[in-house]
Amino acid sequence: RLILGGNHISHNGLRQLGNFLSNRVSSLEMLELNFVYFSSGGLRAFFEGLQDNPQNAPKHLNFADTDLYDYDYLNPTMVISEFLLRPNCSVERIFLENQDFQLDDEKLEIFVNVLGTNHTLKELAIDADDTFTSNGWNKLSSVLCNATSIGATYASNHTITRFGRNPNQQPDTVRHFLEMNTH
């Protein structure tokens, strides 16, 4: 466990941290970057540092309460999604609670596309349960259990057990599918 919370880390510092973690023989279980001030460009630099060995990324990434500002016009949702789509990405939990960037159906769809192919992510904790419409929730529901065919159901994401922050604000179908994945 590496705790770096409460710091201001430059793009270069984040890239170097990613490079360091990428070159480790054994993976770090958890990296806490909560209460850290950096941009989505800095986040991209961190993930670029990990690109050679994404399997060496920490299993748990805590970006909660991070001032993840977006002055460099990079969508934080896209930056995180690009990393999660890399082959051999082994991240299991990402915590993004209390972020300033707004999540909506369009950004939910980006995460839904990730969940269609990433089968290592178990938890994506974000503050957005009340910002998605029924259309957005339906897209998430379909990736959790695509009932169009037996093969599609089999290929659905049966790994993720937590999406969002408050299950009580999620539609019953989404909550049901997430609960099924815990067993």
Side-chain angles (χ1 to χ4, degrees):
R1 183 179 205 177
L2 180 58
I3 301 171
L4 297 174
N7 292 294
H8 178 80
I9 304 174
S10 70
H11 283 36
N12 188 45
L14 287 165
R15 181 174 287 111
Q16 293 302 320
L17 176 61
N19 284 333
F20 171 75
L21 294 174
S22 179
N23 294 319
R24 288 180 48 89
V25 176
S26 61
S27 269
L28 181 66
E29 194 64 29
M30 176 178 253
L31 175 62
E32 293 194 22
L33 287 171
N34 51 329
F35 297 105
V36 173
Y37 180 78
F38 58 89
S39 72
S40 47
L43 186 63
R44 174 171 275 166
F46 170 71
F47 288 139
E48 285 173 355
L50 283 168
Q51 70 184 354
D52 292 336
N53 294 307
Q55 69 276 7
N56 285 354
K59 303 290 184 221
H60 310 268
L61 294 171
N62 185 354
F63 300 116
D65 298 297
T66 297
D67 192 0
L68 187 55
Y69 59 94
D70 198 14
Y71 82 88
D72 44 17
Y73 305 106
L74 291 172
N75 179 334
T77 307
M78 289 297 296
V79 172
I80 294 165
S81 297
E82 288 169 1
F83 178 72
L84 291 172
L85 286 170
R86 290 186 180 155
N88 301 322
C89 179
S90 60
V91 173
E92 296 176 1
R93 290 175 176 81
I94 296 182
F95 302 100
L96 294 168
E97 291 108 342
N98 301 324
Q99 294 296 325
D100 289 335
F101 65 91
Q102 191 65 16
L103 290 170
D104 54 21
D105 281 356
E106 181 181 329
K107 293 181 181 109
L108 173 61
E109 189 168 353
I110 293 168
F111 282 130
V112 165
N113 291 334
V114 167
L115 296 176
T117 58
N118 179 304
H119 294 282
T120 60
L121 190 65
K122 296 177 182 177
E123 294 183 33
L124 181 58
I126 54 176
D127 288 331
D129 298 317
D130 58 348
T131 62
F132 302 138
T133 67
S134 59
N135 185 40
W137 286 116
N138 288 338
K139 288 181 181 181
L140 177 61
S141 181
S142 70
V143 81
L144 295 174
C145 184
N146 185 341
T148 58
S149 70
I150 293 172
T153 302
Y154 179 78
S156 297
N157 186 309
H158 302 292
T159 308
I160 192 144
T161 59
R162 178 182 176 198
F163 187 93
R165 187 172 192 176
N166 186 356
N168 295 327
Q169 292 181 328
Q170 297 173 351
D172 290 340
T173 53
V174 170
R175 195 168 51 244
H176 172 73
F177 292 141
L178 291 171
E179 286 174 10
M180 283 179 42
N181 285 350
T182 63
H183 303 291

